[in-house]
Amino acid sequence: MSQDVAPQAGNANPPLSSSEPILRTSQLKKTYRTGFWLNKVVTPLKSCSLTVQSGETFGLLGPNGAGKTTLLKILLGIIYPSGGQGQILGKPLGDRSVKQYLGYLPENAYFYDYLTGWEFLEFVARLFQIPRSVQKTRIPELLDLVALDRKSARKKQMRQYSKGMLQRIGVAQALMNDPKIIFLDEPMSGLDPLGRSQVRDIIVSLKAQGKTVFFNSHVLSDVESICDRVAILALGELLCAGSLDELLGQQQDSFRVTGQGGDPEQLRHLMADVEFHGSQWRGQYVGDPEVLLRGIHAGQAQILSLSRMRQSLEDFFLHQLRARGIHTSR
C-alpha cells in the first residue's frame, strides 16, 4: 500500500465501462538476470493472456514455482513485465491512479504484531487517508465481515492471533479502501479445515457484494467450490482458462443423485455406489433420466437433487500437467 492514494471508502468510481473486462492481459512476460555476473536468465512468466470480468471470482491454479505470484505482482504494479501488456480497470498495468481501487493480501503477509487488530486496521486506514469519521463505521463492519470479535480486536495483540485469525485480519485490511477488485495470494495456505471454510465464506460474501476476486491457490477443492472461472499456470505458461463447465465438461448420460426414503435394495439395483445416511441416500446413475425418475417413483422414494457428473478439477489439473510432460507425484 502507498500513501499517495486517498480513496473515499464506498464512493470510488473506477474508470471502466460496464462492457469492458475489469482485467485483461496479453502475452505478459517476466525475466530476471541472476548469478554473480548476472549472466543467467530466469523466466518465471513466459506468456500470459487472460481476461477477468467484473463481479467474477477467478481462480489461478498452478504448482509451486508456476509463476502465479509473479503474475499477481505484475497485475498489482509491484513489478513490471519484461514483455506484453495489460489493463486493469481500463488503465495500463502499473498506472498509479488505479491502485486506490485495488485490495491485496500477500501469501506471507507481515503484520506489526505488537498492535491489536483494531490498531492495525486504523493504521491501514490512515495509509489510505480515510477520515476518522469513516473509520468509526468501516472498521467494525470489516471485523464483522471476517468474523472477528470487536472487543477482542481492541484488546488482543496480533502476536496472540492464530493463523486463521491473522488471515482474516489480512482480508479485512485488503478491503479497507472498499476496492473494486481484491487480489488474494494463497488465502487458504496453512489453514486448518475450519479456517479454510471461514475464508471461503468471506470470498463468497464478497462475490455477493459484486466484488471481483482474483486469487491464487493450489487447494483445488476450494477453487472448484467458489470460482466462476479458473486458469491453470505451469512453468510460466498459461495452459488453459475458462469456466468449470467449459474446462471439465459434463457427461451427458451420467448423474449424481441424492434423495430420501424408498427400499434400499431397489435403490441399489437402480443406481451404482449407493450410500445411505439415515433416511437420506446418494448414488450414481447412468442412462435415461426418465427411467430413473419412474424407478424412484415406483419405489416410493423422493429425489432431492439430480446433477450431471463431470471429472473433478483435480483430475483435470493433473491431466493438463502430465500432457505437457510436467511431473506429478500422483
Side-chain angles (χ1 to χ4, degrees):
M1 285 178 259
S2 61
Q3 297 190 48
D4 56 2
V5 291
Q8 296 299 316
N11 296 319
N13 293 303
L16 182 73
S17 72
S18 58
S19 61
E20 292 182 74
I22 198 168
L23 187 156
R24 185 201 308 271
T25 70
S26 176
Q27 298 181 337
L28 284 184
K29 179 181 180 180
K30 183 63 180 178
T31 60
Y32 295 101
R33 289 191 173 274
T34 64
F36 183 79
W37 300 106
L38 298 180
N39 57 348
K40 296 180 181 179
V41 176
V42 177
T43 308
L45 193 66
K46 297 176 182 176
S47 180
C48 181
S49 301
L50 57 81
T51 61
V52 177
Q53 300 296 329
S54 179
E56 277 191 329
T57 300
F58 189 93
L60 182 65
L61 307 176
N64 292 333
K68 302 188 301 296
T69 298
T70 298
L71 174 59
L72 203 63
K73 289 181 177 179
I74 291 174
L75 298 178
L76 288 160
I78 297 173
I79 60 177
Y80 293 95
S82 305
Q85 58 187 351
Q87 290 185 330
I88 185 166
L89 291 165
K91 295 288 187 178
L93 295 179
D95 189 295
R96 292 174 67 183
S97 67
V98 170
K99 291 188 177 182
Q100 62 182 302
Y101 306 111
L102 309 182
Y104 175 44
L105 174 63
E107 178 180 4
N108 297 305
Y110 176 79
F111 299 99
Y112 300 114
D113 61 5
Y114 56 87
L115 297 177
T116 67
W118 194 290
E119 290 170 338
F120 175 67
L121 294 180
E122 286 181 328
F123 169 72
V124 174
R126 288 197 297 272
L127 290 180
F128 280 111
Q129 300 178 22
I130 296 175
R132 285 195 174 275
S133 59
V134 177
Q135 294 181 34
K136 289 180 180 179
T137 57
R138 184 71 178 150
I139 291 175
E141 288 173 353
L142 289 173
L143 289 170
D144 291 344
L145 176 66
V146 300
L148 286 174
D149 181 72
R150 296 184 185 185
K151 292 183 179 179
S152 177
R154 282 189 178 276
K155 299 178 181 179
K156 194 172 184 179
Q157 290 180 312
M158 288 189 294
R159 64 182 56 174
Q160 299 173 293
Y161 280 18
S162 66
K163 171 68 175 176
M165 293 173 69
L166 286 174
Q167 203 74 337
R168 283 182 279 156
I169 202 73
V171 173
Q173 66 81 28
L175 299 172
M176 178 58 68
N177 58 323
D178 193 19
K180 299 302 177 185
I181 178 168
I182 301 102
F183 293 91
L184 307 174
D185 195 355
E186 299 287 359
M188 284 81 165
S189 177
L191 297 179
D192 60 18
L194 177 60
R196 284 171 48 199
S197 175
Q198 291 169 335
V199 173
R200 282 198 306 268
D201 290 343
I202 293 170
I203 294 175
V204 170
S205 71
L206 294 175
K207 177 177 173 59
Q209 296 175 33
K211 302 291 187 185
T212 304
V213 181
F214 185 111
F215 73 95
N216 297 350
S217 183
H218 57 261
V219 184
L220 302 184
S221 59
D222 293 330
V223 173
E224 189 169 9
S225 66
I226 62 179
C227 283
D228 299 307
R229 293 174 63 243
V230 300
I232 296 178
L233 192 69
L235 299 179
E237 295 187 54
L238 194 68
L239 305 185
C240 57
S243 69
L244 291 174
D245 284 342
E246 290 170 343
L247 297 179
L248 306 182
Q250 293 183 333
Q251 302 174 35
Q252 293 301 312
D253 297 324
S254 301
F255 301 87
R256 288 190 178 92
V257 191
T258 60
Q260 62 184 10
D263 178 65
E265 288 303 317
Q266 187 172 356
L267 291 170
R268 289 192 181 96
H269 179 73
L270 187 63
M271 294 176 292
D273 299 326
V274 182
E275 298 178 359
F276 293 90
H277 304 277
S279 63
Q280 294 191 359
W281 47 263
R282 63 184 179 188
Q284 298 179 12
Y285 175 79
V286 178
D288 185 347
E290 291 294 334
V291 176
L292 170 67
L293 293 174
R294 288 196 295 268
I296 292 293
H297 179 73
Q300 296 185 330
Q302 179 183 1
I303 288 181
L304 300 178
S305 68
L306 178 67
S307 60
R308 293 190 188 277
M309 294 177 60
R310 64 187 182 194
Q311 66 177 316
S312 69
L313 182 58
E314 180 178 3
D315 288 339
F316 177 81
F317 175 76
L318 293 174
H319 174 74
Q320 291 296 314
L321 297 186
R322 291 170 182 153
R324 289 159 176 82
I326 300 171
H327 175 72
T328 62
S329 58
R330 179 176 159 184

XYZ file of all heavy atoms in Angstrom, residues 5 32 44 77 102 104 126 137 154 157 191 193 246 265-266 273 305-306 316:
163
model
N -2.340 7.554 -2.479
C -3.711 7.379 -2.926
C -4.628 7.674 -1.763
O -4.343 7.340 -0.620
C -3.950 5.945 -3.444
C -3.195 5.744 -4.733
C -3.553 4.892 -2.438
N 14.304 -12.361 -15.324
C 15.271 -11.822 -14.377
C 16.667 -12.303 -14.770
O 16.814 -13.390 -15.332
C 14.995 -12.313 -12.950
C 13.703 -11.849 -12.333
C 12.595 -12.692 -12.280
C 13.594 -10.579 -11.785
C 11.409 -12.287 -11.689
C 12.406 -10.156 -11.188
C 11.328 -11.018 -11.145
O 10.160 -10.597 -10.569
N 10.226 -16.601 -15.028
C 9.123 -17.182 -14.258
C 7.768 -17.047 -14.937
O 6.833 -17.768 -14.605
C 9.161 -16.395 -12.949
C 9.791 -15.102 -13.306
C 10.779 -15.400 -14.391
N 1.156 -3.947 -10.096
C 2.121 -2.876 -10.340
C 3.291 -2.891 -9.385
O 4.035 -1.908 -9.299
N -7.789 -1.112 -5.665
C -7.308 -2.480 -5.527
C -7.122 -2.858 -4.067
O -6.722 -2.033 -3.244
C -5.966 -2.657 -6.255
C -5.877 -2.180 -7.709
C -4.488 -2.474 -8.267
C -6.944 -2.814 -8.562
N -5.281 -6.091 -1.622
C -4.259 -7.131 -1.788
C -3.921 -7.771 -0.452
O -3.668 -7.081 0.538
C -3.006 -6.510 -2.405
C -1.811 -7.434 -2.539
C -1.954 -8.741 -3.014
C -0.535 -6.993 -2.196
C -0.857 -9.577 -3.146
C 0.573 -7.826 -2.337
C 0.411 -9.114 -2.808
O 1.492 -9.951 -2.942
N -5.284 4.949 7.879
C -4.532 6.211 7.774
C -3.665 6.222 6.518
O -3.474 7.278 5.897
C -3.676 6.426 9.024
C -4.497 6.792 10.263
C -3.626 7.395 11.347
N -2.615 6.459 11.841
C -2.827 5.605 12.835
N -4.013 5.553 13.426
N -1.865 4.796 13.233
N -17.109 3.570 11.417
C -18.083 2.585 10.940
C -17.420 1.505 10.092
O -17.828 0.341 10.124
C -19.184 3.265 10.114
O -18.588 3.986 9.028
C -19.982 4.221 10.984
N -9.971 -5.024 19.844
C -9.483 -3.808 20.519
C -8.410 -4.128 21.564
O -7.530 -3.296 21.827
C -10.647 -3.081 21.206
C -11.533 -2.267 20.268
C -12.496 -1.430 21.075
N -13.342 -0.588 20.254
C -13.000 0.621 19.789
N -11.793 1.104 20.059
N -13.846 1.319 19.069
N -3.403 -8.349 21.156
C -2.333 -8.111 20.193
C -2.310 -9.211 19.142
O -2.625 -10.368 19.420
C -0.978 -8.061 20.909
C -0.769 -6.839 21.781
C 0.585 -6.870 22.453
O 0.982 -7.880 23.026
N 1.305 -5.758 22.365
N -3.989 -23.092 6.511
C -5.159 -23.059 7.378
C -5.707 -24.460 7.609
O -5.612 -25.330 6.736
C -6.252 -22.182 6.765
C -5.935 -20.701 6.578
C -7.121 -19.984 5.945
C -5.557 -20.046 7.895
N -9.082 -27.026 8.307
C -10.363 -27.057 7.587
C -11.337 -25.963 8.013
O -12.038 -25.389 7.170
C -10.908 -28.456 7.906
C -9.680 -29.283 8.099
C -8.692 -28.362 8.783
N -16.867 -25.350 -18.990
C -16.099 -25.357 -20.235
C -14.880 -26.273 -20.130
O -14.557 -26.996 -21.074
C -15.654 -23.941 -20.583
C -16.784 -23.019 -21.012
C -16.348 -21.574 -21.107
O -15.288 -21.219 -20.544
O -17.080 -20.785 -21.731
N -32.723 -52.013 -1.236
C -32.329 -52.992 -2.247
C -32.742 -52.545 -3.644
O -32.000 -52.707 -4.620
C -32.942 -54.361 -1.919
C -32.311 -55.050 -0.720
C -30.807 -55.227 -0.891
O -30.367 -55.606 -1.998
O -30.058 -54.962 0.071
N -33.916 -51.964 -3.753
C -34.380 -51.477 -5.048
C -33.516 -50.315 -5.546
O -33.212 -50.210 -6.732
C -35.847 -51.038 -4.943
C -36.463 -50.684 -6.286
C -37.958 -50.434 -6.171
O -38.536 -50.593 -5.112
N -38.586 -50.051 -7.276
N -23.075 -47.392 -6.558
C -22.389 -46.718 -5.444
C -23.366 -45.991 -4.526
O -23.144 -44.842 -4.135
C -21.348 -45.732 -5.977
C -20.275 -46.407 -6.800
O -19.930 -47.551 -6.479
O -19.789 -45.790 -7.770
N -31.907 -34.032 -5.238
C -31.100 -33.324 -6.230
C -30.646 -34.299 -7.307
O -30.457 -35.488 -7.048
C -29.879 -32.661 -5.575
O -28.956 -33.624 -5.112
N -30.492 -33.753 -8.517
C -30.064 -34.541 -9.660
C -29.146 -33.666 -10.496
O -29.564 -32.609 -10.978
C -31.274 -34.984 -10.492
C -30.994 -35.798 -11.762
C -30.423 -37.163 -11.395
C -32.277 -35.956 -12.578
N -8.568 -33.027 -13.805
C -8.310 -32.200 -14.984
C -6.961 -31.500 -14.852
O -6.177 -31.438 -15.807
C -9.428 -31.174 -15.138
C -9.232 -30.222 -16.287
C -9.555 -30.595 -17.581
C -8.712 -28.952 -16.071
C -9.365 -29.717 -18.649
C -8.525 -28.067 -17.129
C -8.853 -28.462 -18.413
